Amino acid sequence: MTFHVDVKYEFGGPLGASAITFGLPILLYFFAFACNDVSGCPAPSLLNPQTLSWEKVRAEIGWPAGGLRHLGSWQATGVVVVYYCFSLLLWRVLPAQITHGTKLAHHGRPLEYRFNAFSSTLVHLAICAVGTYFQGADFIVWTYMADNYVQILTANILIAYVLAIFVYARSFSVNTNYSNDEMRELAAGGQTGNFIYDFYIGRELNPRVTLPGFGEIDLKTWCEMRPGLTGWILLNLAFVAKQYRTYGFLSDSIIFTACVQAFYVLDGQYMETGILTMIDITTDGFGFMLSFGDAPWVPFLYSTQYRYLSVHPVHLGWTGIGAVIAVFSFGLYLFRAANSQKNTFRKNPEDPKVKHLSFIQTKRGTRLLTAGWWGMSRHINYFGDWLQALPFSLPTGLAGYAILPAGSATAASHVFRMLDGREVVGDQAAGWGVFFTSFYVLYFAILLIHRERRDDAMCLEKYGADWEKYRKLVKWRIVPGIY
């Protein structure tokens, strides 16, 4: 194992990379079992540590009788692989927008990309719409995903590891002299010489494979915008259907959340070419960090609110719905307006919309906005993006519930009776489920703060004294007046 003196580690270095690589799958399993439809969210024994025992917890969380080996199944893995293959087929056969990314640092030329994630997701949804029309909430896709949630999670975790191992091993075939025509190069941050860190952060910048009948596939952009994001919507809808099967009705909170999250995903896929300027594509290699984030992390963590609401319905009423719509709308407006202003200024500084805005002329020849949205904070768009995500968790309210046998909850203030006779109450567990339903919002905030810090460091290296001058003029990083 080789270490370099000038290595710059992120994410806590090799120790942090190890913790994330082996810890995140455990966290997702914890979410899947500790917040469940067997005993409650969280499982009752977790609220009474003095009586905690593995036998009791195992019964409360629905731990498989066969133990660890039953966390997955060959059937579920095969279904997930078919789903990936179908998504790949849609990528190949549907009309696509062909565009070029930023120029590669060592080759001076851009790579070509094929984008059609939006239409691909619409095909998935159209197929499911037809199935739902004929079978309703009992459509096999919805029942299979809800009933085999853990096994599908395991399959996606395995896919993430296989992808990360494959691209790591293959990265050693990159010609580091950069005198070839393959347009392959290593990511600057993925060449530390430390195995676990490079495996996590990603060694090759844009790994591509050529498959017979499909042609050349850019693994990073394909994984970033397809199986995970589309799977997020499908998982959400599976739990919407589960709520209907469980209670015979749909709550306004689950309908609202389904709409805003579907809009969030479809909007991102419609604007798919925008990822070509993101740090994930331009700077980071494709390793475990991105493969795990794309395959299991996004769809299974981000759909946690639906798993919760499918068991514990929350009725917001028109006032509550109006409040969360206002938050989401303001976040969307802020995100769009800030990005639009920056893009307009970048393409045509003389445009009447931005011509009056002050800026710093850098020695590199580029201009840094110091007015408008970008005079408020250096990443005001991140604040808008976070505000869009906040309503994903708000509808779950003061989360927490317990599942009791029929007739056990007569004195409880809020009781939901399942069609199978069991009763769901929130009295005893209220507030304790917030960890599960609001984790995404907290995680997203940390992610955006970390991303801003990385961007700030890169810009300081890129612009030098001009960036220091810019930071003095625009003092706030993300949230004006706060951070």
Side-chain angles (χ1 to χ4, degrees), residues 193-239:
N194 182 282
F195 160 70
I196 189 63
Y197 183 81
D198 291 347
F199 172 78
Y200 167 73
I201 205 73
R203 292 190 81 246
E204 188 170 356
L205 184 62
N206 300 107
R208 295 184 164 209
V209 295
T210 301
L211 298 178
F214 291 95
E216 187 178 63
I217 305 159
D218 186 273
L219 292 176
K220 185 160 64 171
T221 54
W222 188 82
C223 289
E224 183 115 353
M225 297 304 292
R226 286 175 175 276
L229 286 177
T230 304
W232 178 11
I233 296 181
L234 295 178
L235 274 171
N236 287 348
L237 294 176
F239 287 111

Side-chain angles (χ1 to χ4, degrees), residues 33 35-41 43-44 59-62 146-147 242-243 245-249 307-308 310-313 401-410 412 414-426:
F33 285 108
C35 183
N36 60 69
D37 60 357
V38 177
S39 62
C41 181
E60 290 180 350
I61 64 176
D147 295 343
K242 180 180 178 179
Q243 187 188 81
R245 292 196 305 274
T246 303
Y247 293 103
F249 66 81
R307 290 182 54 241
Y308 177 89
S310 70
V311 180
H312 185 249
Y401 61 80
I403 301 176
L404 306 175
S408 302
T410 54
H414 296 287
V415 180
F416 291 100
R417 290 180 173 81
M418 299 180 176
L419 295 181
D420 64 7
R422 291 182 298 161
E423 298 173 335
V424 178
V425 299

Side-chain angles (χ1 to χ4, degrees), residues 4 10 19 21 109 132 241 250 276 313 328 343 356 399 416:
H4 300 282
E10 297 185 77
T21 300
R109 290 176 291 163
T132 305
L250 293 178
L276 295 178
F328 180 78
N343 292 334
H356 63 286
F416 291 100

Side-chain angles (χ1 to χ4, degrees), residues 45-312:
S45 290
L46 299 180
L47 301 180
N48 299 284
Q50 67 274 13
T51 62
L52 202 62
S53 70
W54 172 239
E55 290 301 318
K56 191 174 182 180
V57 170
R58 186 169 63 178
E60 290 180 350
I61 64 176
W63 186 256
L68 290 174
R69 63 191 181 91
H70 284 176
L71 291 179
S73 74
W74 287 110
Q75 183 192 69
T77 301
V79 168
V80 172
V81 170
V82 169
Y83 164 70
Y84 273 70
C85 290
F86 182 60
S87 182
L88 185 61
L89 177 65
L90 293 178
W91 171 83
R92 180 71 268 174
V93 302
L94 291 177
Q97 180 179 355
I98 309 298
T99 188
H100 291 86
T102 57
K103 292 181 179 180
L104 298 176
H106 296 280
H107 292 280
R109 290 176 291 163
L111 291 169
E112 186 176 89
Y113 296 88
R114 178 183 178 84
F115 290 132
N116 58 8
F118 178 77
S119 56
S120 176
T121 297
L122 291 184
V123 171
H124 282 91
L125 294 177
I127 293 172
C128 291
V130 172
T132 305
Y133 176 79
F134 287 104
Q135 296 184 311
D138 293 315
F139 177 44
I140 188 171
V141 171
W142 307 143
T143 57
Y144 191 86
M145 293 180 78
D147 295 343
N148 297 273
Y149 179 82
V150 171
Q151 290 72 27
I152 295 172
L153 167 61
T154 299
N156 279 277
I157 289 174
L158 291 175
I159 287 173
Y161 276 107
V162 169
L163 267 176
I165 293 170
F166 170 74
V167 294
Y168 177 81
R170 190 171 178 270
S171 69
F172 289 94
S173 65
V174 175
N175 185 344
T176 54
N177 293 321
Y178 302 109
S179 59
N180 61 84
D181 293 326
E182 290 185 307
M183 300 284 284
R184 297 176 66 193
E185 62 180 61
L186 299 179
Q191 306 175 62
T192 67
N194 182 282
F195 160 70
I196 189 63
Y197 183 81
D198 291 347
F199 172 78
Y200 167 73
I201 205 73
R203 292 190 81 246
E204 188 170 356
L205 184 62
N206 300 107
R208 295 184 164 209
V209 295
T210 301
L211 298 178
F214 291 95
E216 187 178 63
I217 305 159
D218 186 273
L219 292 176
K220 185 160 64 171
T221 54
W222 188 82
C223 289
E224 183 115 353
M225 297 304 292
R226 286 175 175 276
L229 286 177
T230 304
W232 178 11
I233 296 181
L234 295 178
L235 274 171
N236 287 348
L237 294 176
F239 287 111
V240 170
K242 180 180 178 179
Q243 187 188 81
Y244 189 81
R245 292 196 305 274
T246 303
Y247 293 103
F249 66 81
L250 293 178
S251 63
D252 56 7
S253 61
I254 205 169
I255 295 173
F256 167 79
T257 314
C259 291
V260 295
Q261 288 196 0
F263 174 83
Y264 187 84
V265 172
L266 291 171
D267 181 61
Q269 291 182 326
Y270 186 76
M271 304 288 188
E272 190 177 11
T273 57
I275 69 172
L276 295 178
T277 60
M278 293 171 56
I279 193 172
D280 291 1
I281 307 301
T282 62
T283 306
D284 292 334
F286 186 61
F288 182 81
M289 177 178 72
L290 293 181
S291 69
F292 189 85
D294 295 337
W297 186 254
V298 166
F300 290 89
L301 176 67
Y302 294 12
S303 62
T304 300
Q305 298 88 354
Y306 285 85
R307 290 182 54 241
Y308 177 89
L309 291 172
S310 70
V311 180
H312 185 249

Side-chain angles (χ1 to χ4, degrees), residues 340-422:
S340 177
Q341 187 177 76
K342 180 178 66 174
N343 292 334
T344 300
F345 184 79
R346 180 180 294 166
K347 293 178 181 178
N348 181 19
E350 298 303 315
D351 189 295
K353 296 178 182 178
V354 296
K355 185 178 180 179
H356 63 286
L357 299 178
S358 60
F359 60 87
I360 292 175
Q361 181 69 55
T362 69
K363 295 181 180 64
R364 293 177 60 92
T366 55
R367 299 177 177 183
L368 301 174
L369 272 174
T370 58
W373 291 112
W374 300 92
M376 295 182 180
S377 75
R378 302 199 288 269
H379 274 291
I380 191 72
N381 57 332
Y382 286 1
F383 183 41
D385 205 8
W386 184 79
L387 284 176
Q388 288 184 84
L390 186 57
F392 297 174
S393 295
L394 287 178
T396 59
L398 196 61
Y401 61 80
I403 301 176
L404 306 175
S408 302
T410 54
S413 56
H414 296 287
V415 180
F416 291 100
R417 290 180 173 81
M418 299 180 176
L419 295 181
D420 64 7
R422 291 182 298 161

Side-chain angles (χ1 to χ4, degrees), residues 19-42:
I20 295 172
T21 300
F22 299 106
L24 288 189
I26 296 174
L27 180 63
L28 287 182
Y29 282 124
F30 176 75
F31 270 61
F33 285 108
C35 183
N36 60 69
D37 60 357
V38 177
S39 62
C41 181

